[in-house]
Amino acid sequence: MAGNHPFSLRALALMSLFAVAAPGPAAGADAYRETYPSAAIDPSRGIAGAGDAGFGSTLQYWQDEKSLEHHRQWIGDPEHEWKLNWKFLDFDRSDDMHPGYLALEAGEKLFKLWAKREPAFRTCLGEGKTDLKGLAATYPKYDPKLKRIMTVESRVEHCAQTALWETFKQGSPANNQISLYFKSLSARAPIRVDTGSAEIMASYRRGEKLFYAKVGQFNFSCASCHTSTGLLGQRFRGQVPTTPFGDAAHFPTYRLALGDIESLQQRFMRCNMQARTKALPPGDPAYTDLEVFYTVLSNDYPVSVPSAR
Amino acid sequence: MAEPMKIRAQLSGDLVAIKVLIGHIMETGQRKDPRTGQLIPAHFIKQLSVGLNGKTVIAAQWGGAISKDPFLGLKVKGAKAGDKVSVHWEDSKGEKSSAEATVG
């Protein structure tokens, strides 16, 4: 049937393209947005929310090493593997033979080089302290002096600017390497984003709204893929979207598909682009809000950097 | 050149499991720089060998199809604690690297 009317079909396709294109530029920042139905999240529960049906109820399979060990027969099984939230890749710590460690070595070298040349770089990262252990597990956090929310990456950018007079833009190799090293100094420390802070919670609420906002050519929200009423656990383009809970713990990660370090916000960019949405630059306030939202959903889960995915 | 290389050599019985992680760009020579449209020159490991106490146990000819930061795993019989594992590679630009580890 359709084959008989190639011309009119093409005309129709063209017309619909115009219909999509026309309101684009004129609509501006306050464009009407549809919202994906939201599943309730209690931010004070941290990763515990991953046990809820709206997010796949997978917590029981990956919450700790024992649960992962118990379900290790699922590794490589396309029906079940997604339930492990890829966390089994973190617990293979018997040796340091994944390329996340190469990235870490590069980051450590770069950090030590700069910190030796200019000790203020270290104390800036440490907010006055020289010992950086455990600090990154509390990010993102509100900085009352700078009056803004800082992520690990924006702290590195800020300190490079003020202490070194260098530009380590977020998403650049230098920023990613140093951020990865900084975060690795909190390896195994439970993530503790301060949900008692009014500024953090305001950012969390904005991030939550973004998570459900439909955007782009496909009119997809993050939730369209990363919740159970959406595609969570369904095969999709050869991949299976997993729960948003616990994700922030292993970033920045060495992404095997890219052969490079990927920050959490660079992952947001990739998800946006895959859903044909214009990605924002790393460090954009909207991505910072999303990162706050995501990291609160990883609260109580141990940092696992370096990692490879 | 001074790329990092990690070697592990773990013994069980007389079998040694050797793992090698090599930091290398492994550029195929087929990719174009999206900004300039120019081909990115090839730069990949061509020859790689692993030795146990100086005797070659594997000699490999690699090409541009091997991934960035390659990982190599092999098992060799007849090893004992204290043996020396050595890895050597040479790439398409003539750069070389060697590293050693002790079986334990």
Side-chain angles (χ1 to χ4, degrees):
Chain A
M1 264 275 283
N4 295 336
H5 307 285
F7 185 77
S8 56
L9 266 184
R10 192 174 311 158
L12 201 76
L14 266 177
M15 269 163 52
S16 56
L17 240 182
F18 275 111
V20 171
D30 294 326
Y32 168 73
R33 293 229 183 279
E34 290 174 1
T35 299
Y36 193 86
S38 38
I41 301 175
D42 174 358
S44 67
R45 291 172 68 210
I47 57 157
D52 297 352
F55 292 95
S57 317
T58 58
L59 180 67
Q60 51 184 314
Y61 308 124
W62 54 266
Q63 58 190 342
D64 50 29
E65 293 189 42
K66 228 171 72 198
S67 322
L68 283 162
E69 190 56 47
H70 202 74
H71 297 94
R72 72 174 305 136
Q73 75 278 7
W74 284 350
I75 298 173
D77 177 344
E79 278 306 308
H80 300 291
E81 192 175 52
W82 63 272
K83 295 179 193 164
L84 302 176
N85 198 16
W86 298 102
K87 291 300 182 191
F88 58 90
L89 293 171
D90 288 337
F91 290 101
D92 185 20
R93 292 201 182 101
S94 48
D95 54 27
D96 53 356
M97 294 300 279
H98 67 64
Y101 285 90
L102 295 177
L104 175 64
E105 277 176 16
E108 181 170 6
K109 229 167 87 182
L110 191 62
F111 170 77
K112 290 195 165 150
L113 186 89
W114 283 110
K116 193 171 160 204
R117 207 176 290 177
E118 186 47 81
F121 185 49
R122 178 190 287 276
T123 42
C124 174
L125 284 183
E127 293 164 87
K129 286 195 227 136
T130 50
D131 183 6
L132 307 180
K133 280 211 178 65
L135 287 182
T138 61
Y139 277 82
K141 61 167 141 192
Y142 180 71
D143 186 319
K145 270 194 236 129
L146 299 171
K147 295 201 170 38
R148 60 188 163 110
I149 301 220
M150 301 298 278
T151 60
V152 164
E153 284 81 1
S154 67
R155 175 75 69 197
V156 168
E157 184 178 53
H158 167 77
C159 292
Q161 198 71 61
T162 53
L164 310 174
W165 297 49
E166 288 285 333
T167 308
F168 293 170
K169 256 172 95 86
Q170 296 181 54
S172 68
N175 188 306
N176 276 351
Q177 286 176 3
I178 293 175
S179 296
L180 190 148
Y181 172 68
F182 184 28
K183 194 144 175 206
S184 78
L185 298 176
S186 299
R188 289 161 189 256
I191 293 178
R192 294 263 188 267
V193 180
D194 181 10
T195 50
S197 145
E199 290 84 0
I200 284 290
M201 284 319 289
S203 167
Y204 171 91
R205 290 297 172 201
R206 290 191 299 269
E208 182 180 40
K209 221 167 133 188
L210 290 170
F211 183 79
Y212 292 105
K214 292 199 193 179
V215 288
Q217 198 179 4
F218 291 156
N219 208 26
F220 265 30
S221 65
C222 311
S224 307
C225 291
H226 292 288
T227 65
S228 291
T229 50
L231 292 165
L232 202 167
Q234 314 277 335
R235 222 156 309 166
F236 171 77
R237 281 181 28 135
Q239 284 186 301
V240 182
T242 61
T243 178
F245 288 85
D247 279 355
H250 58 270
F251 283 93
T253 190
Y254 182 97
R255 184 64 64 179
L256 293 159
L258 306 175
D260 213 342
I261 306 177
E262 180 182 62
S263 68
L264 185 61
Q265 297 194 10
Q266 284 173 316
R267 175 74 230 196
F268 296 166
M269 292 173 76
R270 217 143 58 84
C271 274
N272 272 159
M273 287 188 288
Q274 280 172 355
R276 298 213 191 143
T277 306
K278 193 167 185 289
L280 300 167
D284 187 281
Y287 275 175
T288 302
D289 291 338
L290 260 180
E291 176 160 352
V292 168
F293 175 72
Y294 258 74
T295 317
V296 166
L297 303 195
S298 293
N299 258 351
D300 303 325
Y301 200 76
V303 170
S304 43
V305 174
S307 62
R309 282 291 188 276
Chain B
M1 270 198 293
E3 292 282 3
M5 175 150 47
K6 283 177 170 293
I7 308 175
R8 291 284 171 280
Q10 216 162 34
L11 196 66
S12 62
D14 75 335
L15 195 71
V16 60
I18 301 173
K19 296 178 189 172
V20 188
L21 180 65
I22 303 166
H24 198 286
I25 183 124
M26 296 302 282
E27 194 57 62
T28 62
Q30 318 261 353
R31 298 196 310 153
K32 276 185 183 159
D33 184 326
R35 267 171 309 183
T36 61
Q38 298 295 305
L39 277 180
I40 303 170
H43 186 194
F44 52 79
I45 295 175
K46 283 179 93 165
Q47 309 275 350
L48 173 135
S49 63
V50 179
L52 188 66
N53 291 333
K55 179 170 164 262
T56 301
V57 291
I58 188 171
Q61 279 148 31
W62 279 2
I66 304 281
S67 81
K68 187 180 174 190
D69 298 340
F71 177 82
L72 173 78
L74 63 147
K75 287 180 177 169
V76 185
K77 272 191 204 152
K80 56 185 185 316
D83 283 359
K84 287 268 180 282
V85 174
S86 58
V87 180
H88 177 81
W89 58 252
E90 182 169 344
D91 70 23
S92 56
K93 288 190 177 171
E95 288 169 7
K96 294 172 190 176
S97 179
S98 302
E100 241 186 31
T102 308
V103 173

